[in-house]
Amino acid sequence: MASKVIVAGVGMVPFSKPGASDSYDHLGAAAIRLALADAGLDYGQVQQAYAGYVYGDSTAGQLAIYKVGMSGIPVVNVNNNCSTGSTALYLARQAIEHGIAECALAVGFEQMAPGAIVEKYTDRPSPFTRFEALCGELVDEELPLALRYFGGAGREHMQRYGTRMDTFAAIRAKASRHAANNPLALFRKVVSTEEVMNDVPVWPGVMTRMMACPPTCGGAAAILVSADFARRHGIDTRVAIAAQAMTTDRPGTFEDRSMIELVGAGMTREAAQAVYNQAGIGPDDIDVCELHDCFAHNELITYEGLGLCPVGEGERFVMDGDNTYGGAVVTNPSGGLLSKGHPLGATGLAQCYELTRQLRGTAGPTQVEGARLGLQHNLGLGGACVVTLYERQ
């Protein structure tokens, strides 16, 4: 097996509501500076950079990175929908693992508009054409795109396994309790399951407003280095990427005629199993997990996709408290997307930020006691899924 890649430094700027923050280039640059400072490195030591964003013109990564330094290194711009940040991380990890570079930067940032996500280009084929055709057959509600997909998947879980709507509300309430201890979370007010249930309905009987993550602006970054580079420069080697996998859709996404499969459950299962196989572990070994809770419904579906509980038993996992402190796996100790918001390009690297701090034992009030293995799951429709295993060495 190749030498493990060291997470040398991480940085994250607090996420903010659209219009209430700096522009994307300042957010990205600020995150890079924080990650460099955390690693104790200068920008001149970075040999390659991968910049993730969705809502920006070509070479926006250079604009953000040039504010930190202009050293002539390769800068690769990455757009992979909601998994953009972790895709940048995946590419940086590959560069280190295969000896292309010894020190690589992954940065993600986003400057989002208020309201539901919409497609920006209407004069050319949509990458969601095939997804939309099947979604239109399975869901007859007129709703914003993401809400229709993930709400439809949640409704299918309710119909198939008897999952109750208030279970999704309990997931949102759990997120609020975790976020209350995270100064970087945008929404830190603790809410009860009942308050979530009584919030504005966006799909009666399926979802209320608080069960959906909001669009936000933000930036996050990570510096990855080889073990040799870390030793030569006296870098903290406590946290390494032990395994990582990236998947895209297979024919079953469409052939199974299932909303749960359409929103990436198959990609999640395959990526998670690949990671467990690479590391020689199982889901029972995971201590802490940051997963893609764009909707409370997707958090529950992802428990099952990652193997944290059997398929169909997500509700029991929630009701038994196995998704929080004192349970089997602490999920989203940061508060997740439901409490931080979801700046698409930054989300995956914000997850990396939280898990790196957890395994270092420096997460403060969100700390999971004795955390040794942390799992990251970042999903984008269209589609791509990245699962990363972090290990305390």
Side-chain angles (χ1 to χ4, degrees), residues 206-252:
V206 176
M207 187 184 300
T208 65
R209 183 175 53 188
M210 276 197 279
M211 296 179 193
C213 76
T216 48
C217 303
I223 306 292
L224 304 185
V225 301
S226 68
D228 286 343
F229 184 95
R231 282 192 290 271
R232 294 200 309 270
H233 293 86
I235 289 170
D236 186 340
T237 60
R238 282 177 292 175
V239 179
I241 294 178
Q244 189 176 50
M246 179 175 173
T247 53
T248 56
D249 292 293
R250 290 186 182 272

Side-chain angles (χ1 to χ4, degrees), residues 258-279:
S258 160
M259 287 303 299
I260 292 173
E261 292 304 306
L262 196 64
V263 300
M267 292 192 295
T268 293
R269 287 192 302 272
E270 186 174 348
Q273 193 57 57
V275 162
Y276 298 146
N277 290 343
Q278 288 174 36

Side-chain angles (χ1 to χ4, degrees), residues 32-86:
I32 295 168
R33 294 189 184 101
L34 289 169
L36 288 168
D38 186 48
L41 295 172
D42 297 320
Y43 175 72
Q45 294 169 283
V46 175
Q47 298 162 350
Q48 288 198 1
Y50 299 87
Y53 59 93
V54 175
Y55 296 110
D57 285 327
S58 182
T59 67
Q62 279 88 330
L63 180 62
I65 290 169
Y66 286 178
K67 291 183 179 299
V68 182
M70 298 175 68
S71 57
I73 63 169
V75 174
V76 179
N77 291 274
V78 180
N79 179 342
N80 225 4
N81 210 350
C82 301
S83 62
T84 290
S86 59

Side-chain angles (χ1 to χ4, degrees), residues 290-359:
E290 284 280 318
L291 57 80
H292 198 88
D293 61 323
C294 50
F295 293 83
H297 305 62
N298 197 53
E299 175 159 338
L300 185 144
I301 289 167
T302 302
Y303 297 153
E304 299 175 7
L306 294 175
L308 302 181
C309 67
V311 173
E313 295 190 15
E315 181 168 85
R316 176 180 294 181
F317 190 74
V318 175
M319 294 299 103
D320 288 349
D322 280 330
N323 61 352
T324 189
Y325 296 86
V329 184
V330 182
T331 57
N332 294 334
S334 68
L337 285 62
L338 289 168
S339 295
K340 291 184 301 184
H342 183 19
L344 275 58
T347 290
L349 286 157
Q351 293 174 322
C352 172
Y353 171 87
E354 177 66 23
L355 289 173
T356 297
R357 294 169 66 250
Q358 288 288 344
L359 299 191

